[in-house]
Amino acid sequence: MQVSPVCLHARDGPGPARRTTMMSRMQMIVSSSSRRFAFRTALGILAVGTVAACGGARDPSSLTAPRNHLLGVDRGAEGGADQLKGGVNAYLWRGAIDTLSFMPLASADAVGGVILTDWYQPPSSKDERFKIAAYVLDRRMRSDALRVSVFRQVFQDGEWQDTPVSATTTSDITTRILTRARQLRAENGEQGN
C-alpha cells in the first residue's frame, strides 16, 4: 500500500518533509500570482502608454485651417471648379447667401444646398414678416437649378397668420440670386451661360 507523502506527514506531525511540500505548494501559488501580477502590470503600462500617445502635445502649425464656404472669397471650388463638395453649384450657393444676407439665417447647408432664413420683419412694416427657403439643386449654373420659396405672415387679431405671397416677390428674389451668381462667376474669370 502506498500512502501519499502529505498524508504520511499529516500523521507524523509537522516535519521537514511536510514543510518542504507546503513550501513548494506556496511557491507555486506565489509564482502563479506573480505571473498574473506581472501580466496585469504590463497590460496596465500598455494601456497607459496608448492613452498617453493619444493625448500628446499638438503642434498648432500642423493642423489644417477649417474651410468655411459661407464666409470670405472661398467659392468652394477645388482648383477653381464651380461646384461645392456636396455637388451644388458654388456660384448659385454664394449668390443666394449674398442676396439673402439682409435676413437672419436659421441654417445653411452647403453640402445639401439648402438655405433657410429666420423670420424677417421689414423696418417699414410692423404687421408682416417673411421667411425664405432657397434650394440649389444642381451642379450646373442654370435657372432651373435654383428653387426659392417665400413665406409671409401677417399679424392679425393678436397672432401671426399665414398669407399668400405675391408671385413677383419670389421671382424677384430668384432673379437677384441668379444675377449675383453670374457676377461672382464673371469676377472669377469663368465663361458660361
Side-chain angles (χ1 to χ4, degrees):
M1 176 173 139
Q2 195 161 2
V3 179
S4 80
V6 173
C7 292
L8 179 68
H9 293 303
R11 262 188 317 196
D12 293 343
R18 178 179 161 105
R19 280 190 297 256
T20 306
T21 306
M22 288 176 65
M23 293 283 272
S24 65
R25 282 186 182 171
M26 287 185 66
Q27 285 175 345
M28 286 183 353
I29 292 171
V30 168
S31 173
S32 171
S33 68
S34 295
R35 280 184 289 208
R36 275 186 268 151
F37 177 75
F39 177 74
R40 288 180 181 161
T41 303
L43 190 60
I45 291 171
L46 180 63
V48 168
T50 303
V51 170
C54 292
R58 292 186 177 148
D59 178 19
S61 65
S62 69
L63 300 175
T64 59
R67 292 180 53 196
N68 188 343
H69 292 290
L70 301 179
L71 303 173
V73 184
D74 180 15
R75 296 195 179 102
E78 296 171 358
D82 65 348
Q83 64 189 17
L84 295 171
K85 273 188 177 177
V88 300
N89 187 281
Y91 299 120
L92 286 174
W93 170 258
R94 185 61 198 203
I97 291 289
D98 289 354
T99 303
L100 300 176
S101 65
F102 71 96
M103 300 178 76
L105 291 180
S107 88
D109 177 16
V111 174
V114 179
I115 301 167
L116 301 173
T117 70
D118 205 351
W119 288 105
Y120 170 74
Q121 198 167 3
S124 61
S125 174
K126 299 295 182 193
D127 293 337
E128 70 177 343
R129 64 184 186 175
F130 297 91
K131 185 182 236 184
I132 297 176
Y135 306 94
V136 180
L137 304 171
D138 200 345
R139 296 178 179 197
R140 297 167 292 176
M141 192 166 131
R142 301 167 30 142
S143 61
D144 62 347
L146 179 67
R147 180 173 300 141
V148 176
S149 299
V150 181
F151 305 95
R152 178 179 178 243
Q153 287 185 340
V154 176
F155 194 73
Q156 291 177 345
D157 301 326
E159 62 182 36
W160 291 102
Q161 296 178 4
D162 293 336
T163 58
V165 179
S166 168
T168 59
T169 303
T170 304
S171 64
D172 286 347
I173 291 174
T174 303
T175 302
R176 287 184 184 184
I177 292 172
L178 291 169
T179 301
R180 179 64 182 143
R182 289 186 190 105
Q183 287 173 348
L184 290 168
R185 186 177 58 194
E187 289 172 7
N188 202 31
E190 290 191 24
Q191 299 297 322
N193 51 351

